[in-house]
């Protein structure tokens, strides 16, 4: 309770908030994590065998089908209480005149479906696919599987998932924005992320340099837990609604 009240107070008075989310935020929606997605006949593969440019070059049909199945799974899942509370926290902070930046490593679009706006999808999006020839990106919300894998585009190539694969760089503009906001924030929250993957690991250092209060929300300890001002050992679905009520309710 003391911890909740302390965090609520900090959030209520914040001027610039940055939130980084990861797979844990979607766990309560039933979205399998990266490794959890290797289900059924996919379990004989490792993520590295399917989520790389080399894998797509070698076997575009298999990779496109795996991502299309994950796309359908994400579309069939619903945002959970944590997603909704975060959208309400954003709205309350914006109404207070504060700035709010949501950086997500999730490709499932559940934040947007819960009402979050201006979400920075640093690892791309499962509903977006881009042409291998022209790099034109299109969105696919149809809950039916693609007719063929990979799907030909109207632009002369085939569609590949518009996500960041192992070995691919993040978009420079996303990185610059994330760094800039972290260096300028007074509250930084990492929610449902193990933060082992670059660049997420670096964001907290920028926030600490900025003198921000740093908050981790994760039922398990992470390699960065000791760096945070507050480590909340609860799920995002349990804690974020309580935090919203305590800070703005
Ligand atoms: P991980 O699967 O590495 O970590 C998920 C974290 O969520 C873990 O620390 C869990 O303890 C925590 N968690 C589980 N359930 C939770 C809940 N209900 N509420 C809050 N936290 C919970 O996922 P990410 O950190 O997102 O990259 O992984 C980062 C990136 O690594 C992914 O985006 C992907 C992967 O390689 C790419 O695809 C490029």
């Amino acid at each position: 309770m003391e911890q909740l009240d302390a965090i609520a107070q900090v959030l209520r008075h914040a001027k610039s908030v940055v939130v980084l989310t990861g797979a844990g935020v979607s766990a309560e929606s039933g979205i399998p994590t990266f490794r959890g997605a290797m289900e059924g006949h996919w379990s004989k593969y490792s993520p590295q065998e399917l989520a790389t440019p080399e894998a797509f070059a070698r076997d575009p049909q298999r990779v496109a089908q795996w991502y299309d199945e994950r796309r359908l799974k994400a579309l069939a899942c619903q945002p959970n209480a944590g997603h909704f509370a975060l959208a309400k926290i954003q709205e309350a902070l914006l109404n207070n005149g504060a700035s709010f930046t949501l950086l997500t490593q999730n490709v499932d679009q559940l934040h947007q479906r819960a009402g979050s706006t201006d979400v920075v999808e640093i690892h791309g999006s499962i509903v977006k696919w881009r042409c291998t020839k022209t790099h034109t990106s299109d969105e696919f919300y149809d809950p039916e599987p693609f007719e063929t894998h990979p799907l030909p585009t109207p632009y002369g190539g085939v569609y590949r998932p518009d996500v960041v694969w192992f070995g691919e760089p993040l978009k420079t503009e996303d990185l610059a924005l994330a760094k800039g906001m972290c260096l300028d924030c007074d509250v930084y929250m990492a929610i449902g992320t193990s933060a082992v993957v670059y660049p997420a690991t670096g964001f907290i250092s920028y926030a600490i340099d900025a003198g921000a209060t740093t908050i981790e929300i994760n039922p398990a300890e992470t390699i960065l837990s000791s760096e945070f001002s507050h480590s909340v050992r609860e799920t995002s679905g349990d804690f974020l609604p309580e935090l919203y009520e305590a800070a703005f309710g």
Side-chain angles (χ1 to χ4, degrees), residues 71-72 75-76 108-109 112-113 121 125-129 138-144 146:
R71 178 184 74 88
L72 296 176
L75 287 173
D108 55 40
Q109 294 222 328
Q112 291 92 329
R113 285 170 56 199
E121 297 175 301
S125 169
I126 201 97
V127 298
K128 289 188 190 143
W129 294 64
D138 290 318
E139 298 187 359
F140 293 88
Y141 290 98
D142 187 352
E144 292 299 319
F146 289 167

Side-chain angles (χ1 to χ4, degrees), residues 89-227:
I89 288 171
Q90 175 176 27
E91 192 184 7
L93 284 165
L94 294 179
N95 286 341
N96 274 358
S99 77
F100 180 91
T101 307
L102 175 53
L103 311 168
T104 189
Q105 298 163 91
N106 299 342
V107 296
D108 55 40
Q109 294 222 328
L110 290 183
H111 284 305
Q112 291 92 329
R113 285 170 56 199
S116 290
T117 53
D118 300 319
V119 182
V120 186
E121 297 175 301
I122 62 175
H123 288 168
S125 169
I126 201 97
V127 298
K128 289 188 190 143
W129 294 64
R130 71 171 186 264
C131 178
T132 47
K133 196 166 176 197
T134 61
H135 309 296
T136 314
S137 185
D138 290 318
E139 298 187 359
F140 293 88
Y141 290 98
D142 187 352
E144 292 299 319
F146 289 167
E147 281 162 21
T148 55
H149 303 292
L151 193 66
T153 73
Y155 320 108
V158 293
Y159 281 114
R160 62 151 277 181
D162 200 357
V163 300
V164 177
W165 276 331
F166 291 108
E168 291 185 326
L170 271 67
K171 283 194 194 142
T172 5
E173 61 267 32
D174 286 351
L175 272 180
L177 176 105
K179 182 176 177 184
M181 295 317 289
C182 288
L183 281 171
D184 194 41
C185 73
D186 55 6
V187 175
Y188 173 82
M189 296 203 274
I191 312 176
T193 177
S194 58
V196 284
V197 171
Y198 170 87
T201 33
F203 293 162
I204 180 159
S205 317
Y206 299 136
I208 290 171
D209 287 349
T213 302
T214 53
I215 301 153
E216 176 182 63
I217 302 168
N218 194 317
E221 193 172 339
T222 70
I223 50 161
L224 291 178
S225 289
S226 61
E227 314 255 325

Side-chain angles (χ1 to χ4, degrees), residues 74-94:
L75 287 173
C77 288
Q78 301 304 323
N80 64 57
H83 294 109
F84 286 115
L86 200 56
K88 285 165 77 175
I89 288 171
Q90 175 176 27
E91 192 184 7
L93 284 165
L94 294 179

